[in-house]
Amino acid sequence: MKLYWSTRSPFARKVMVAAHELGLADRIERVPTLAAMDKPNAELMRHNPLSKIPTLVLDDGAVLYDSFVICTYLNTLADTVQLFPTVGDDRITALRLHALGNGLLDLLVLRRNERDRPPGSRSEPHLQAFAAKTEATLDALEQEAGLLARRPVDIGHIAIGCALSYLDFRFADDDWRQGRAALAHWHEGFDSRPSMVATRPSLT
Ligand SMILES: N[C@@H](CCC(=O)N[C@@H](CS)C(=O)NCC(=O)O)C(=O)O
């Protein structure tokens, strides 16, 4: 399988963390790919018209996107570990936690794009709204930290872990740990898993 990917993309990281957790990382060839909102990537668009990473090309040529779909597919290939609980409340909880983590990632990517515009074209109302939603989501996650710590690792943990690490990577001046001791403690443990250590973002 070929994964169009970048070490800096938190959505691509979600896929690789899932692959490591599922014991499938060796089966994925990573293709370093530049994807940016203002730069359609013609080579990538041959596979994914949305020009987004992660995009996974299977051995038979079929193409999968986005990160949630790719993780769902990888989960079907695994023998023992399962990142998607199959039944009842357990499944809904995992999907809800995934939505929270993934929603935070969506928000942070938009926020970073706005922040990095030339000063004259930045929208202050948008920046303020993104900051307020980030704070509110982090407060909600602090309330979920006990639940995260009690549950076996699933797709929800992966999305939330990648989102918090993306905050450290792209918003290093935001002290998200301040006043959120339970979340910080959970993240410290999650971030030291081999799957997270093997997928650290890099600027080079
Ligand atoms: N919902 C998508 C989001 C993927 C995404 O936005 N990836 C970014 C890189 S982190 C991207 O490819 N941006 C290029 C663009 O928006 O044109 C997923 O979960 O895979």
Side-chain angles (χ1 to χ4, degrees):
M1 297 177 271
K2 270 192 187 170
L3 182 70
Y4 289 79
W5 155 98
S6 155
T7 175
R8 303 176 207 183
S9 162
F11 296 100
R13 187 179 191 192
K14 259 176 68 188
V15 166
M16 286 311 300
V17 171
H20 279 278
E21 293 287 343
L22 293 165
L24 299 170
D26 290 351
R27 289 173 57 182
I28 299 177
E29 178 192 340
R30 286 165 295 159
V31 182
T33 303
L34 186 66
M37 271 181 203
D38 57 352
K39 291 187 191 70
N41 178 329
E43 160 65 10
L44 177 60
M45 288 164 82
R46 290 198 303 118
H47 303 292
N48 178 352
L50 300 169
S51 190
K52 289 195 184 217
I53 52 172
T55 293
L56 184 70
V57 181
L58 306 185
D59 295 342
D60 67 2
V63 182
L64 298 179
Y65 39 80
D66 58 8
S67 60
F68 185 78
V69 175
I70 297 171
C71 291
T72 307
Y73 171 72
L74 293 179
N75 196 61
T76 67
L77 302 182
D79 297 329
T80 46
V81 181
Q82 286 291 297
L83 296 175
F84 292 78
T86 49
V87 287
D89 288 353
D90 209 18
R91 176 169 176 80
I92 296 301
T93 300
L95 297 183
R96 182 180 66 75
L97 291 171
H98 173 270
L100 201 51
N102 209 64
L104 179 57
L105 272 182
D106 284 336
L107 178 60
L108 293 174
V109 167
L110 288 171
R111 186 175 164 195
R112 176 170 172 254
N113 270 296
E114 196 61 42
R115 180 194 69 186
D116 292 352
R117 284 177 197 275
S121 40
R122 274 178 218 148
S123 160
E124 271 311 313
H126 279 84
L127 285 173
Q128 284 171 18
F130 292 147
K133 291 178 198 178
T134 304
E135 288 299 302
T137 306
L138 289 168
D139 288 344
L141 286 172
E142 171 71 6
Q143 301 304 314
E144 304 282 5
L147 181 67
L148 289 168
R150 281 194 302 279
R151 289 171 59 83
V153 166
D154 63 33
I155 192 65
H157 296 77
I158 293 176
I160 292 168
C162 288
L164 295 175
S165 294
Y166 186 70
L167 264 176
D168 287 336
F169 180 52
R170 291 298 194 191
F171 296 87
D173 293 341
D174 284 20
D175 189 4
W176 65 265
R177 292 172 177 82
Q178 180 66 36
R180 301 188 184 102
L183 186 61
H185 180 70
W186 172 77
H187 180 257
E188 191 180 355
F190 186 80
D191 197 51
S192 64
R193 292 179 74 82
S195 61
M196 290 295 281
V197 173
T199 57
R200 297 251 185 264
S202 118
L203 285 173
T204 53

